[in-house]
Each structure stands twice: as C-alpha cells, then as structure tokens.
Amino acid sequence: MIYTVLGPIEKEALGVTLPHEHVKWEADEQKCYDMYYSGKYDESAIEESFQAILPVMIKLKTLGIDSIVEASPPIGGQNIHLLHRLSRNSGVQIIPSTGWNV
C-alpha cells in the first residue's frame, strides 16, 4: 500500500514515478514551523503557489508522469494543503515524505 496525499493506492497504480522531487521549497524556517507545529497555513500563499505550479503538474501528466515522490520535509515547508490541491487538480499522485530532516 502506498500512501498519497489523496489516500492509499495499490503499488501497481503508481505508474511512471518521479522518485525525488521538491514541488515547492520554503526557505523561511519560522513559516515551516508554524505550518508543521501549529497548522497555520497562509491560504493566499497557497493559492499563489497553486496557480504557478498547477500548469507544470498538468504538463507532467500529459507527458506520462503518474506519480511524484515529494521529498520536502516539514523543515522545507512541506505543505500538504498545497500538495492535495495540486494532486486533485492535475491527476498526478503525490507521495509526501515522512519524518524530520535534522
């Protein structure tokens, strides 16, 4: 079983997969801590990122990419809200990283 931002899938459903990607890296560590520890998400920043990244995700899907392993840890600003929206709207399955990079 593979756990994506949209829920579990069977490994056979992975298809063509990019194994180590960073959809969006956040350099502001305080912002990262706020998202991870306090669940504080900036919806306007998510919308801006979504609008910029969605065309790339759609292009990847048209090129035959079925899944992406998104390797950004929480300290890199892993934004599950953004990843969920991108996956739902592009059709690309996104597998988020787990754990903390120290």
Side-chain angles (χ1 to χ4, degrees), residues 23 46-63 68 82 85-87 89-92:
V23 173
I46 290 172
E47 180 61 27
E48 184 178 321
S49 295
F50 175 77
Q51 293 299 326
I53 299 167
L54 182 61
V56 176
M57 298 291 289
I58 290 171
K59 180 68 173 179
L60 289 172
K61 185 67 176 174
T62 64
L63 293 172
I68 292 175
L82 174 61
R85 281 188 67 194
L86 289 168
S87 183
N89 287 279
S90 69
V92 176

Side-chain angles (χ1 to χ4, degrees), residues 12-69:
E12 294 79 17
L14 276 176
V16 176
T17 303
L18 298 177
H20 185 116
E21 301 302 320
H22 297 281
V23 173
K24 180 177 186 300
W25 188 266
E26 180 61 57
D28 181 344
E29 286 189 16
Q30 187 57 53
K31 188 174 183 179
C32 297
Y33 288 130
D34 288 345
M35 279 193 295
Y36 188 72
Y37 288 117
S38 303
K40 294 180 184 175
Y41 289 85
D42 180 343
E43 294 302 325
S44 63
I46 290 172
E47 180 61 27
E48 184 178 321
S49 295
F50 175 77
Q51 293 299 326
I53 299 167
L54 182 61
V56 176
M57 298 291 289
I58 290 171
K59 180 68 173 179
L60 289 172
K61 185 67 176 174
T62 64
L63 293 172
I65 302 301
D66 299 303
S67 303
I68 292 175
V69 177

